[in-house]
Each structure stands twice: as C-alpha cells, then as structure tokens.
C-alpha cells in the first residue's frame, strides 16, 4: 500500500495511492496512519490534482548511514567502515517531492545521494534483527544531499548533512516491500548517474535498523537513510535530481540558490 501526504487546498492530509501508472487516484484516510491505522474515507482525488508533500516529517530524527556501498566509499577515497557509520539530519532538513533544494551559502560543493529510506512505525529500542520487520512502517525514496567541502573541513557533519532542504523524501511510503534486492537509480537532468541495488549494501536493512536502535530510541515516523550507491557528483542551481527506488516510485527535486 502506498501512503501519501498531500494538500488539495488547505491542510495536509494522508491518503492511499492506487491505480494504473498515470491514472492514479488518492483516497483520503482519517487522521494519522502512524497512530490511527488506515481508515479510508469516501473522498478521492486524482493524483494529478493534489500536491504531494514529504510523506513524513519525522518528529525526532533522520538517521543517515554513511559508506554502506563499497564502490561509493572508494569513489570518495574512503575506507569501508567496520561497523555501520551513523549521522543525524534534523527534521528541518526534510522536504517533499518537487520542493526546491536550496544550496546553502556556505558551500560550493553540494552532492546528491540517492537512497532507500526506512520509515519507522512504532517506538522501539534494541530491536533484534529477526524482529525488525515489526517496527518498519514502510519505505520511501530519499536524497541525502551533502556539502562535500564542509564535510571535509568541519569536525562534525551537522552542517554538511543537515542544512535546510538536505533531505527530500517521497513520493510516498510503500508499506509492502522486500528491501533486499531493489534497484536504486538517480538521474541528473535526465542523465542516469547512479545505478545500484540494495543487494550491494554492506549492511542490509534489518542489520541497520537493529544497529541504529541500539544507539537511539526510534519513534514512529523516524527515518533511516540507508546509504547511497556509487556515482555521486555535484549539483548546481538550475539542475534537477530524480531518484527511483524499485517498487516505490520517483522523487524529483529542482536545485536552486537564493
Ligand atoms: Mg548518504
């Protein structure tokens, strides 16, 4: 099931997206599916008539995983880490489909990173790998935009990974998905730049969620960005980066400088 968050004219709502590609409809659901379950109303909209928002604004955090693909670690001259390598992006970094990514004034080297993102469904801590499926609400696409210059010069990655608009998420959350072998693709201005698969991850989704939950209590709506495949490069104002994770959909965002 695909759960979207959207606006028609005023307040954000959640809905279920269904139908053939190009002819999808959104059925409005009551309340917040993270707490109320999915209760459909009789209200439906054509997908093209709604504006999709980030499918979740995490209440507490986005946890990023660094260097989870061997080729990507090597392309930036880094060793493969011996344990999952974690960082945080604040919830203020999250934007939705088609929202502009605003390049921060303190960086001249911002890079895209196409990623599979895990959305947590319930409060949890110290989750064993065999029980991870119980705490996952679903999956979405994400772009872990990174200011490479500041990443090298700052001692912490807070600015490099956490600036406003550095975490586009969407287009919706797919709740039924096996994450073990999904293609992850990214296009810069329509040109394929990243073409990986979750089966190339050093640590798979279950290992990651378990490891992250040992460091942080996870809350409903928290997001884990699971790492990017090789092919990262810089973006500039006027570009557009588009991400597709197999079985979920496409997330596209323009890049601007203000
Ligand atoms: Mg990343």
């Amino acid at each position: 099931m695909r759960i979207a968050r959207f606006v028609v004219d005023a307040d954000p709502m959640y809905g279920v997206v269904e139908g053939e590609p190009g002819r999808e409809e959104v059925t409005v659901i009551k309340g917040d599916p993270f707490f109320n379950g999915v209760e459909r109303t009789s209200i439906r909209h054509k997908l093209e008539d709604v504006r999709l928002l980030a499918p979740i604004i995490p209440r507490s955090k986005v946890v990023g995983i660094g260097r989870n693909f061997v080729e990507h670690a090597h392309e930036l001259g880094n060793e493969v880490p011996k344990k999952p390598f974690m960082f945080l992006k604040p919830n203020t970094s999250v934007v939705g489909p088609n929202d502009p990514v605003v390049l921060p004034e303190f960086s001249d080297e911002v890079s895209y990173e196409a990623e599979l993102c895990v959305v947590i469904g319930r409060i949890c801590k110290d989750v064993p790998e065999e029980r991870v499926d119980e705490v996952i609400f679903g999956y979405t696409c994400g772009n872990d935009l990174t200011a490479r210059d500041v990443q090298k010069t700052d001692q912490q990655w807070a600015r490099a990974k956490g600036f406003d608009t550095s975490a586009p998420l969407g287009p919706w959350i797919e709740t039924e998905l096996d994450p073990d072998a999904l293609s992850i693709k990214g296009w810069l201005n329509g040109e394929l730049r990243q073409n990986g698969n979750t089966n190339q991850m050093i640590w798979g989704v279950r290992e990651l969620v378990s490891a992250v939950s040992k460091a942080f209590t996870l809350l409903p709506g928290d997001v884990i960005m699971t790492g990017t495949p090789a092919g990262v490069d810089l973006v500039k104002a006027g570009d557009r980066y588009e991400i597709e994770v197999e079985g979920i959909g496409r997330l596209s965002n323009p890049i601007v400088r203000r």
Side-chain angles (χ1 to χ4, degrees), residues 44-196:
R44 305 186 93 180
H45 300 282
K46 287 182 181 165
L47 182 61
E48 65 195 40
D49 293 339
V50 310
R51 184 165 76 86
L52 293 175
L53 305 173
I56 182 70
I57 301 291
R59 287 167 185 77
S60 70
K61 58 199 166 292
V62 176
V63 182
I65 303 295
R67 301 167 193 164
N68 195 26
F69 287 76
V70 173
E71 275 185 53
H72 167 64
H74 289 168
E75 74 179 338
L76 295 179
N78 295 308
E79 295 292 314
V80 173
K82 293 189 170 58
K83 293 270 176 65
F85 179 65
M86 300 171 201
F87 56 89
L88 292 172
K89 291 168 88 88
N91 57 3
T92 44
S93 65
V94 173
V95 291
N98 282 312
D99 285 342
V101 170
V102 182
L103 299 172
E105 53 79 25
F106 54 77
S107 174
D108 296 315
E109 294 182 17
V110 174
S111 175
Y112 56 76
E113 296 190 356
E115 309 202 2
L116 169 71
C117 297
V118 181
V119 184
I120 298 298
R122 50 183 270 198
I123 187 168
C124 58
K125 171 76 179 162
D126 294 333
V127 184
E129 281 178 36
E130 62 273 17
R131 295 192 63 186
V132 161
D133 288 348
E134 297 172 36
V135 307
I136 293 178
F137 183 87
Y139 299 88
T140 192
C141 309
N143 194 345
D144 172 25
L145 287 137
T146 304
R148 290 280 175 238
D149 43 3
V150 174
Q151 187 181 30
K152 288 176 196 135
T153 53
D154 281 3
Q155 288 290 313
Q156 302 269 334
W157 289 5
R159 279 202 305 169
K161 291 280 195 181
F163 62 87
D164 287 352
T165 73
S166 66
L169 298 177
W172 40 63
I173 300 167
E174 172 57 67
T175 60
E176 288 145 46
L177 195 65
D178 179 345
D180 290 340
L182 302 174
S183 73
I184 301 175
K185 292 181 177 158
W187 293 264
L188 179 63
N189 303 326
E191 182 184 318
L192 185 66
R193 292 297 190 91
Q194 293 188 279
N195 190 2

